[in-house]
Amino acid sequence: MTSFELPAGYRVSTDPDRLDRAAVHRWLSEETYWALGRPREKQERAIDNSLNFGLYEEGSGTQVGYARVVTDRSTFAWLCDVFVAPQARGRGLGTALTAAVRDELAGLGLRRVMLATRDAHEVYARVGFEPMAESGKWMVLGQQ
């Protein structure tokens, strides 16, 4: 798999105490199609029960990106809530953040890592995600 380096001046951390939870909530609840209107308390619970990845500017420490993984850390993971702040876009940070998530999860020996996207297929394909070969066997409860 191809490795993607973060551009100089950026770092990824999985430390939940470092997250700017207010910014994450604002981004997701106001600027995404998948979490539009998500209540703050629901976002807090999602963060508390997930593996979180914050993307930070090194100099200022400002958070400029976020990704969340729902996983049992043994067999399965769901990558979701991937977001890069508008002012930080266009620098390859979304791809690099997704690669950092992929690389972190690689050590867990998961059987499957899934995600769903309406408009960012190219970003995820760059780090190895592919359309499902047998999507007909998958089912869902609670469609949006």
Side-chain angles (χ1 to χ4, degrees):
M1 267 185 225
T2 305
S3 179
F4 291 89
E5 295 293 322
L6 280 168
Y10 294 92
R11 288 287 173 252
V12 171
S13 172
T14 57
D15 180 356
D17 294 332
R18 195 166 173 202
L19 292 172
D20 182 341
R21 289 173 176 243
V24 170
H25 177 254
R26 185 176 61 257
W27 292 335
L28 298 178
S29 69
E30 297 177 11
E31 300 183 40
T32 68
Y33 65 84
W34 67 87
L36 197 61
R38 182 182 288 168
R40 177 73 186 258
E41 57 276 3
K42 188 169 281 238
Q43 183 61 49
E44 291 291 334
R45 200 171 39 211
I47 289 171
D48 290 341
N49 291 297
S50 300
L51 174 58
N52 301 277
F53 294 77
L55 174 63
Y56 304 91
E57 291 179 345
E58 281 188 321
S60 67
T62 302
Q63 186 173 348
V64 296
Y66 177 72
R68 183 168 69 87
V69 177
V70 180
T71 182
D72 61 8
R73 298 174 195 246
S74 179
T75 62
F76 179 81
W78 177 269
L79 173 59
C80 55
D81 290 345
V82 179
F83 187 88
V84 175
Q87 74 273 14
R89 292 180 186 161
R91 300 178 193 151
L93 292 170
T95 300
L97 174 60
T98 304
V101 171
R102 177 202 63 200
D103 295 348
E104 178 78 16
L105 296 177
L108 299 178
L110 303 172
R111 180 171 180 216
R112 182 170 287 117
V113 179
M114 297 184 69
L115 63 83
T117 184
R118 183 169 75 187
D119 59 358
H121 296 80
E122 290 179 23
V123 171
Y124 301 113
R126 284 184 205 123
V127 300
F129 283 89
E130 301 174 336
M132 293 178 68
E134 296 183 49
S135 62
K137 69 180 181 181
W138 292 89
M139 298 178 73
V140 65
L141 177 64
Q143 296 196 29
Q144 195 166 338

